[in-house]
């Protein structure tokens, strides 16, 4: 499959978030990754809020199989059916939508469709998307129970946007300033959050390697 | 445009977030504007929706968007955290006092009657704003200094300055004398009035000193030789300093009236009983003769006088000694004064010649108070006569006269202001064309009722609460200027307020003492002189200006 940036397919949709299944096991985009889906020329933009891997059949819980194996890879090699029984899903919180590169930062008028393809945003898109940062405040609200805690999500999102810029201190400062207003009454939390993105971070994205 | 990125307009300081007309406005500073670059006294402009406001910075504060930021401060040693918080969580604010406003169609700046709308932008004043409000130099406007951090001239309206009494205040060494000298020069240059200066420390007429390098600065006579007459009480000292006095002033015993002595109550440490005795003695011998007669009395004659007037002989003895040693001993005191100094001064004033009276080595307060009082009373009398004569008749009124006194509270404190000539002059305003220019370091010692007559107040640094209060009372919106006043530089900065300026303003006083400064004064005088000559040759030479 050529690298179109496609990372998964929507399997569950709610008002402000959707769940997508990753095409490869354990290859969900990292938290904070900007992703796009949509049809009829409307891009629905979201941020990956977390991922999980579990059995395909919710009634059958995975069991331990590797007691006699030397390493984990051997375990997967000796149980080739595993990728069929397991699946990796990731949750995406919607931040806005856009048409031809012009973005609005509220929920799209039309919800994404089930089985919609999910693509990773290109750096240029991320840069354009994050010229406006008010959506960070939305992300500070709690989301899915198994998603990353809001502060982790916001920190990761800012780091991802910063990486797209090749590291830009002015951008990080600007992002920090947006958060100050929201976290005025919890200074230690604000401080911890600021520290999580004050430096240009290395990419830790796992999904790329698997595609 | 990305949020948080401000326009690159560097003069933009912030925006109005709250306030009232009576209490002033609060301005939130841009994140880029450091509170440390701000200063009280600075002149700023608010661009309201329909009008522009001219205001003064009266306070600079630190704000925190939440009490937590102040109570448990984040680690701002981390420059990133510090930078993020600056302008958002923590920020600077300015307190502004709006003073004037200008709307489209206004003839000129008007007094403020409202405040700008929320979020109006505030910017540094530029040259245009300053000259719009403080005018350019002309026949009456005189360049006295520049606003803080600017080079544009601030002008005072000298015509308005002399219309009422005015004052130059400030602690010792803050630049009162330099400022006063500048004002006098302006008045001389523009022929706004004639000056009579009681030059206690011999600083105005000829060569004043400058602390800076212990060097001398030019006096009025050196700048305008033909327009200034130096009178002296101490010819020797004047000559030693290179000044050639035009007239030596002597005071005859006959010129000293009981009231003059009453003025000296404090300087001479006189008791009520002594003052009362003088009044009785004068009643017997007459106001003009009492001093000479009293000084001539021998011991037993005095006792006889005491009995006759029902006075205590002991009091008379002490009083006699005091008059002998403190008054008669002054070298300018004569039984019979040679020439009439009052007339000589009046002759000069009438011809438009300004008079500076040097005290030379007579630096004691008693000499100063006595002479200033005696001369002023007589000159004032003559002015009153002349003005009354002019009323109804077609006789010319005398030229407006400005009398400059240092240590003014000695003449105007509440205990004496009621009966000194200076109190009278301050109260009657310009009815008789005489006003005061008082110079003082303790304005709180001046009677309130006199202070309220002081129309223009030019104030260098003051640090005493009472003095600050005294200078600010009676001027609307002035209370917010207290902080400004207490934080002036200790030299060559002043707050101008009142009648002669359209709005209060802090200035760096114009430099005095450099060759360029002298040249500028003389150039203006020459140009103005030629202009006036031309006008005069058109009009009747003796017409009122
Ligand atoms: N406008 C000015 N130009 C130059 N020097 C000044 C000026 N104002 C004040 N100074 C300096 O400050 C010193 C004190 O000023 P001065 O007028 O004598 O103070 P004050 O009369 O208040 O005691 C002066 O000797 C001079 O060195
Ligand atoms: Mg002085």
């Amino acid at each position: 499959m050529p690298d179109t940036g496609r990372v998964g397919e929507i399997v569950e949709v709610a008002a402000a978030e959707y769940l997508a299944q990753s095409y490869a096991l354990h290859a969900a985009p990292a938290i904070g990754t900007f992703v796009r889906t949509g049809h009829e020329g409307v891009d629905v933009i979201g941020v990956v809020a977390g991922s999980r891997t579990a059995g395909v059949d919710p009634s059958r819980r995975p069991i331990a199989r590797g007691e006699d194996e030397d390493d984990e890879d051997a375990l997967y090699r000796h149980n080739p059916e595993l990728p069929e029984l397991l699946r990796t899903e990731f949750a995406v919180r919607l931040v806005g939508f856009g048409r031809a590169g012009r973005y609005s930062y509220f929920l799209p008028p039309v919800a994404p469709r089930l089985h919609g393809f999910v693509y990773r945003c290109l750096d240029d898109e991320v840069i354009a998307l994050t010229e406006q940062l008010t959506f960070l405040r939305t992300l500070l609200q709690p989301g899915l129970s198994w998603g990353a805690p809001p502060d982790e999500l916001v920190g990761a999102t800012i780091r991802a946007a910063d990486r797209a810029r090749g590291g830009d201190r002015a951008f990080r400062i600007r992002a920090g300033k947006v958060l100050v207003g929201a976290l005025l009454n919890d200074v230690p939390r604000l401080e911890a959050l600021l520290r999580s993105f004050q430096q240009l971070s290395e990419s830790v994205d796992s999904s790329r390697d698997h595609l | 445009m990305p949020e948080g990125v401000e326009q690159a307009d560097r003069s933009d300081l912030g925006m109005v977030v709250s306030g009232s007309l009576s209490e002033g406005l609060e301005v939130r500073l841009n994140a880029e504007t450091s509170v440390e670059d701000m200063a009280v006294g600075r002149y700023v402009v608010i661009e309201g929706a329909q009008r522009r406001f001219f205001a003064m910075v009266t306070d600079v504060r630190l704000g925190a968007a939440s009490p937590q930021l102040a109570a448990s401060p984040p680690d701002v040693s981390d420059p990133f955290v510090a930078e993020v918080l600056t302008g958002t969580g923590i920020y600077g604010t300015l307190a502004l006092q709006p003073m004037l406003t200008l709307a489209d169609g206004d003839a000129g700046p008007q007094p403020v009657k409202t405040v700008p709308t929320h979020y109006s932008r505030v910017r540094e004043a530029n040259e245009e704003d300053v000259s719009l409000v403080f005018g350019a130099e002309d026949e009456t406007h005189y360049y006295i200094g520049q606003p803080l951090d600017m080079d544009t001239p601030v002008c005072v309206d000298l015509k308005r300055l002399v219309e009422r009494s005015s004052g130059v205040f400030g602690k010792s060494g803050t630049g009162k004398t330099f400022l006063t000298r500048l004002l006098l020069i302006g008045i001389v240059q523009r022929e706004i009035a004639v000056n009579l200066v009681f030059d206690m420390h011999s600083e105005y007429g000829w060569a004043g000193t400058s602390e800076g390098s212990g060097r001398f600065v030019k006096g009025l006579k050196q700048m305008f030789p033909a327009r200034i007459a130096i009178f002296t009480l101490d010819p020797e000292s004047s000559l030693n300093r290179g000044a050639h006095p035009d007239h030596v002033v002597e005071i005859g015993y006959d010129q000293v009236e009981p009231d003059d002595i009453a003025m000296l109550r404090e300087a001479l440490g006189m008791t009520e009983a002594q003052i009362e005795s003088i009044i009785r003695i004068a009643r017997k011998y007459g106001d003009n003769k009492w001093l000479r007669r009293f000084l001539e009395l021998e011991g037993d004659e005095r006792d006889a006088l005491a009995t006759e007037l029902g006075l205590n002989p002991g009091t008379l003895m002490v009083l006699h000694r005091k008059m002998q040693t403190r008054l008669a001993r002054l070298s300018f005191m004569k039984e019979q004064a040679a020439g009439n100094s009052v007339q000589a001064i009046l002759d000069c004033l009438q011809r438009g010649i300004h008079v500076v009276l040097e005290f030379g080595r007579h630096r004691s307060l008693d000499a100063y108070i006595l002479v200033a009082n005696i001369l002023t009373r007589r000159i004032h009398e003559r002015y009153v006569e002349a003005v009354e004569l002019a009323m109804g008749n077609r006789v010319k009124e005398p030229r407006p006269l400005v009398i400059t006194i240092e240590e003014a509270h000695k003449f105007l404190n509440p205990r004496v202001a009621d009966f000194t000539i200076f109190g009278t002059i301050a109260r009657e305003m310009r009815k008789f064309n005489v006003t005061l220019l008082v110079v003082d370091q303790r304005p709180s010692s001046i009677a309130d009722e006199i202070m309220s007559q002081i129309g223009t107040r030019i104030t260098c640094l003051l640090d005493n609460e009472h003095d600050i209060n005294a200078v600010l009372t009676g001027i609307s919106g002035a209370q917010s200027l207290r902080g400004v006043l207490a934080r002036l530089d200790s030299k060559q900065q002043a707050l101008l307020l009142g009648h002669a300026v359209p709005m209060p303003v802090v200035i760096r006083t114009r430099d005095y003492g450099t060759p360029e400064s002298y040249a500028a004064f003389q150039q203006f005088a020459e140009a103005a002189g030629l202009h006036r000559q031309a006008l005069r040759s058109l009009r009747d030479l003796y017409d009122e200006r």
Side-chain angles (χ1 to χ4, degrees):
Chain A
M1 186 165 70
D3 184 2
T4 56
R6 199 159 111 195
V7 287
E9 192 176 311
I10 297 176
V11 292
E12 196 178 322
V13 180
E17 52 207 11
Y18 62 79
L19 223 53
Q21 183 176 336
S22 168
Y23 285 129
L25 196 61
H26 295 138
I31 295 172
T33 305
F34 283 86
V35 292
R36 142 175 72 77
T37 181
H39 62 115
E40 293 176 349
V42 178
D43 288 333
V44 176
I45 307 296
V47 173
V48 174
S51 64
R52 65 175 181 187
T53 300
V56 173
D57 182 350
S59 66
R60 292 175 58 187
R61 301 187 58 212
I63 50 169
R65 299 169 186 244
E67 197 172 1
D68 301 324
E69 303 287 359
D70 291 338
D71 58 48
E72 290 177 18
D73 284 350
L75 185 154
Y76 276 93
R77 266 198 314 280
H78 297 152
N79 295 282
E81 74 286 8
L82 274 182
E84 303 306 318
L85 298 177
L86 301 179
R87 62 172 167 181
T88 295
E89 291 173 319
F90 56 93
V92 173
R93 291 183 60 180
L94 302 186
V95 298
F97 64 98
R99 200 188 281 272
R102 301 174 59 93
Y103 299 105
S104 302
Y105 297 85
F106 45 90
L107 293 179
V110 186
R113 291 196 298 186
L114 210 61
H115 295 293
F117 294 162
V118 180
Y119 299 86
R120 171 194 303 284
C121 291
L122 303 174
D123 283 351
D124 286 348
E125 286 174 300
V126 174
I127 293 172
L129 271 168
T130 50
E131 283 304 322
Q132 265 252 28
L133 289 168
T134 40
F135 68 84
L136 290 178
R137 297 198 184 203
T138 321
L139 295 186
L140 275 177
Q141 306 300 321
L144 287 183
S145 63
W146 56 268
D151 293 10
E152 294 288 339
L153 172 59
V154 168
T157 306
I158 295 171
R159 289 194 297 272
D162 186 44
R163 273 196 304 275
R165 288 171 165 77
D168 176 353
R169 185 168 189 275
F171 169 77
R172 296 196 298 274
I173 295 272
R174 188 151 65 78
K177 285 183 188 289
V178 172
L179 300 177
V180 173
L183 295 177
L184 271 179
N185 293 317
D186 196 345
V187 175
R189 182 177 166 202
L190 172 65
E191 228 180 322
L193 183 47
L194 292 181
R195 286 188 198 290
S196 75
F197 63 86
Q198 65 172 302
Q199 258 136 28
L200 172 63
S201 55
E202 296 296 308
S203 170
V204 289
D205 201 331
S206 60
S207 65
R208 224 159 243 183
D209 318 333
H210 292 260
L211 281 169
Chain B
M1 193 181 51
E3 63 171 332
V5 177
E6 297 290 340
Q7 281 97 332
D9 181 359
R10 311 211 44 245
S11 69
D12 187 75
L13 298 175
M15 63 189 179
V16 175
V17 290
S18 70
S20 74
L21 185 55
S22 55
E23 269 145 44
L25 303 172
E26 182 181 335
V27 170
R28 180 145 167 179
L29 287 178
N30 296 336
E32 298 75 36
T33 313
S34 166
V35 282
E36 296 185 8
D37 291 333
M38 295 293 106
V40 288
R42 194 172 294 177
Y43 177 48
V44 297
V45 174
I46 307 163
E47 299 287 0
Q50 292 160 35
R51 39 183 65 243
R52 182 183 290 180
F53 295 78
F54 302 93
M56 187 191 283
V57 177
T58 56
D59 205 356
V60 185
R61 298 194 191 110
L62 294 175
S66 102
Q68 250 207 40
L69 281 164
S72 51
D75 177 12
V76 286
S77 66
D78 183 334
F80 182 80
V81 175
E83 201 174 326
V84 167
L85 285 173
T86 306
T88 51
I90 49 177
Y91 47 83
T93 67
L94 298 181
L96 297 187
Q97 186 63 46
M99 306 279 186
L100 290 176
T101 160
L102 185 71
D104 285 344
D106 282 353
Q110 307 292 318
V112 276
K113 295 207 170 65
T114 183
V115 293
T117 54
H118 264 101
Y119 303 145
S120 293
R121 300 304 312 181
V122 177
R123 61 172 173 80
E124 288 175 349
N126 56 33
E127 297 200 355
E128 198 189 319
D129 302 316
V130 176
S131 54
L132 192 66
V133 172
F134 296 100
E137 279 212 290
D138 60 22
E139 283 290 295
T140 60
H141 288 89
Y142 174 58
Y143 160 35
I144 183 92
Q146 308 92 29
L148 301 183
D149 309 307
M150 295 184 74
D151 287 323
T152 322
V154 166
C155 297
V156 286
D157 187 336
L158 290 175
K159 193 142 201 173
R160 286 173 71 86
L161 185 93
V162 306
E163 253 170 31
R164 304 222 213 140
S165 289
S166 33
V168 176
F169 306 109
K171 291 205 306 176
S172 172
T174 51
K176 295 185 297 297
T177 297
F178 272 61
L179 252 169
T180 307
R181 192 191 288 113
L182 283 170
L183 292 172
L184 293 172
I185 288 174
I187 296 173
V188 172
Q189 276 182 342
R190 287 161 173 77
E191 297 184 12
I192 300 280
V194 273
N195 292 295
L196 168 58
V197 183
F198 290 107
D199 189 2
M200 184 173 184
H201 305 294
S202 307
E203 305 170 291
Y204 295 106
W206 194 263
T209 50
S210 175
E211 275 169 22
S213 42
R215 66 206 159 89
F216 290 96
V217 294
K218 285 192 185 184
L220 292 172
K221 177 97 177 179
Q222 286 151 298
M223 304 273 288
F224 308 102
R227 312 276 313 283
I228 311 289
I230 294 189
F231 282 48
T232 186
L233 287 168
D234 182 359
E236 207 178 310
S237 136
S238 296
L239 282 169
N240 284 346
R241 289 184 309 108
H244 294 274
D246 299 273
H247 189 99
V248 177
V249 172
E250 294 183 343
I251 303 284
Y253 289 174
D254 58 330
Q255 292 177 308
V256 181
E257 295 178 11
D259 275 357
D260 298 322
I261 304 290
M263 283 285 303
L264 296 172
R265 186 184 308 214
E266 273 163 55
L268 296 185
M270 307 243 293
T271 62
E272 273 311 312
Q274 290 169 356
I275 303 278
E276 182 57 30
S277 304
I278 290 176
I279 293 171
R280 304 258 188 99
I281 296 168
R283 210 173 287 152
K284 175 172 166 65
Y285 295 123
D287 279 356
N288 298 329
K289 301 208 183 73
W290 74 276
L291 184 58
R292 187 160 56 87
R293 300 290 289 272
F294 181 56
L295 284 172
E296 283 165 3
L297 294 183
E298 299 294 332
D300 40 355
E301 292 168 318
R302 270 200 319 267
D303 291 345
L305 181 67
T307 322
E308 181 190 337
L309 299 180
L311 297 169
N312 181 332
T315 307
L316 278 204
M317 194 187 76
V318 175
L319 184 61
H320 192 264
R321 180 144 20 89
K322 211 166 252 178
M323 295 295 108
Q324 240 354 312
T325 57
R326 301 291 294 273
L327 280 193
R329 202 212 49 197
L330 296 168
S331 64
F332 57 83
M333 290 294 307
K334 304 283 174 194
E335 273 189 43
Q336 195 62 56
N340 185 339
S341 301
V342 171
Q343 191 53 52
I345 292 174
L346 280 165
D347 286 345
C348 285
L349 299 179
Q350 244 153 40
R351 285 170 22 233
I353 308 263
H354 308 262
V355 174
V356 178
L357 175 59
E358 296 195 333
F359 282 70
R361 281 160 306 175
H362 299 292
R363 282 163 177 254
S364 69
L365 271 173
D366 29 333
Y368 183 63
I369 295 173
L370 183 72
V371 172
N373 214 44
I374 289 175
L375 295 180
T376 302
R377 196 179 48 230
R378 285 174 172 70
I379 289 164
H380 179 255
E381 264 165 28
R382 301 286 293 272
Y383 257 76
V384 172
E385 283 166 21
V387 169
E388 280 172 350
L389 196 67
M391 275 194 285
N393 294 319
R394 292 194 50 84
V395 189
K396 203 181 92 173
E397 282 201 3
R399 290 168 195 271
L401 169 64
V402 177
I403 301 179
T404 300
I405 40 167
E406 293 238 0
E407 306 284 347
H409 68 271
K410 299 287 176 197
F411 304 91
L412 297 170
N413 67 58
R415 293 174 300 284
V416 299
D418 278 349
F419 56 90
T420 71
I421 181 60
F422 292 100
T424 309
I425 293 174
R427 272 188 304 265
E428 69 196 12
M429 307 185 56
R430 52 166 172 161
K431 200 155 125 208
F432 299 110
N433 281 10
V434 185
T435 55
L436 300 178
L437 175 53
V438 302
V439 183
D440 206 302
Q441 49 181 317
R442 295 303 318 267
S444 61
S445 306
I446 295 177
D448 293 346
E449 153 236 6
I450 301 292
M451 246 351 239
S452 69
Q453 303 294 344
I454 305 226
T456 304
R457 302 170 195 185
I458 302 183
T459 309
C460 304
L461 174 68
L462 282 174
D463 53 13
N464 177 294
E465 279 291 295
H466 300 296
D467 290 330
I468 293 177
N469 277 338
V471 167
L472 296 180
T473 41
I475 292 193
S476 78
Q479 280 311 316
S480 56
L481 303 176
R482 326 185 90 255
V484 176
L485 201 44
R487 280 167 197 82
L488 293 173
D489 273 4
S490 62
K491 264 198 182 51
Q492 222 180 328
Q493 272 193 7
L495 171 65
L496 312 186
L497 62 163
H499 202 56
V501 280
M503 66 177 259
V505 61
V506 176
I507 57 160
R508 215 161 8 102
T509 311
R510 180 174 179 176
D511 249 321
Y512 185 83
T514 58
E516 304 83 67
S517 68
Y518 298 139
F521 290 120
Q522 271 150 345
Q523 258 168 30
F524 185 95
E526 276 159 28
L530 284 177
H531 177 66
R532 273 190 297 267
Q533 256 170 32
L535 280 181
R536 278 206 199 111
S537 55
L538 291 174
R539 290 197 235 122
D540 181 356
L541 185 62
Y542 293 103
D543 238 15
E544 258 262 71
R545 279 182 311 120

